[in-house]
Amino acid sequence: HNKSFIYEPRGFHSAEEMNAAIEKNWNELITDDDDVYILGDLIFKGEHNTLDDAMAIVRRLKGKKHLIRGNHDGSMKTELYKKEPSIVEIADAKYIWYKGRQFYLSHFPCITANPEVEKPKDWIINFFGHTHKKEKFYNGLPFMYNVSLDAHDNKPVSIDEAIADIKAKIEEYINSR
């Protein structure tokens, strides 16, 4: 995305600088055997690049990519994604289980629990992107976790790191009630 309102808050002077840093960060953390869930808006055509340019970057990113479509992932991009062998799944949203906990993966933040009724162990945790916020938790709610690059120093976040953050936030949330 070549708009300054995206790359400047992330600490960059240009989209090219941002893209290079994201690619470097990604490939230092991800292996070709890793499953990576991308929660929308994978690529964006700018005034200085094409969708083919953007897909060339995607091809260089390691891992088996599971894409949850975002608001900028329309039918034309979806057709491009379907042709990319490293993108192994495309969905509008998805539930996954990990270490006995259920997660709902979506592009937009979604309320997936009712803390007034449910115990934290029963909460479905929402992983989302979209917001371009640095805060990891949507409105401070411990069951809505921002996995976007903006909240994680322009790096992918591992599910185990996210769970550690969530556990700490749940404890803080319970103690504040």
Side-chain angles (χ1 to χ4, degrees):
H1 201 305
N2 68 349
K3 300 295 182 191
S4 61
F5 71 86
I6 297 293
Y7 62 77
E8 285 179 355
R10 290 179 177 173
F12 302 103
H13 295 98
S14 69
E16 293 77 20
E17 180 186 7
M18 175 186 69
N19 291 342
I22 290 170
E23 183 178 344
K24 177 181 175 286
N25 292 343
W26 179 296
N27 286 330
E28 286 177 353
L29 294 170
I30 305 296
T31 71
D32 286 329
D33 293 328
D34 288 333
D35 284 289
V36 183
Y37 291 86
I38 302 161
L39 302 190
D41 298 347
L42 174 58
I43 63 173
F44 198 84
K45 183 182 108 172
E47 58 186 77
H48 302 298
N49 68 335
T50 66
L51 291 178
D52 288 336
D53 296 332
M55 286 303 294
I57 295 170
V58 170
R59 281 186 210 92
R60 294 192 302 265
L61 298 175
K62 295 177 184 177
K64 295 174 277 189
K65 300 169 196 87
H66 303 255
L67 177 64
I68 304 301
R69 293 183 343 137
N71 56 303
H72 293 291
D73 295 317
S75 58
M76 184 171 54
K77 288 180 189 172
T78 299
E79 290 307 311
L80 283 174
Y81 300 151
K82 287 178 181 176
K83 294 175 186 173
E84 173 52 42
S86 69
I87 298 177
V88 298
E89 177 181 29
I90 301 169
D92 291 324
K94 181 180 182 78
Y95 285 98
I96 63 170
W97 284 88
Y98 183 76
K99 293 188 176 179
R101 185 172 281 285
Q102 190 173 24
F103 298 88
Y104 181 69
L105 284 55
S106 60
H107 178 61
F108 298 103
C110 296
I111 296 174
T112 53
N114 183 347
E116 301 302 320
V117 177
E118 300 166 324
K119 295 180 174 128
K121 68 176 182 56
D122 296 327
W123 291 349
I124 298 171
I125 304 297
N126 172 226
F127 285 158
F128 68 90
H130 181 68
T131 63
H132 298 286
K133 303 279 186 196
K134 292 190 181 288
E135 295 80 20
K136 292 180 182 177
F137 294 93
Y138 189 81
N139 290 339
L141 296 171
F143 52 85
M144 297 174 72
Y145 189 80
N146 181 2
V147 297
S148 73
L149 295 171
D150 304 279
H152 297 280
D153 198 26
N154 302 301
K155 298 174 184 172
V157 60
S158 75
I159 193 167
D160 290 316
E161 180 183 336
I163 289 170
D165 288 345
I166 291 163
K167 284 181 178 179
K169 187 68 171 179
I170 287 172
E171 189 173 312
E172 174 189 313
Y173 185 81
I174 289 170
N175 291 335
S176 70
R177 297 175 84 202

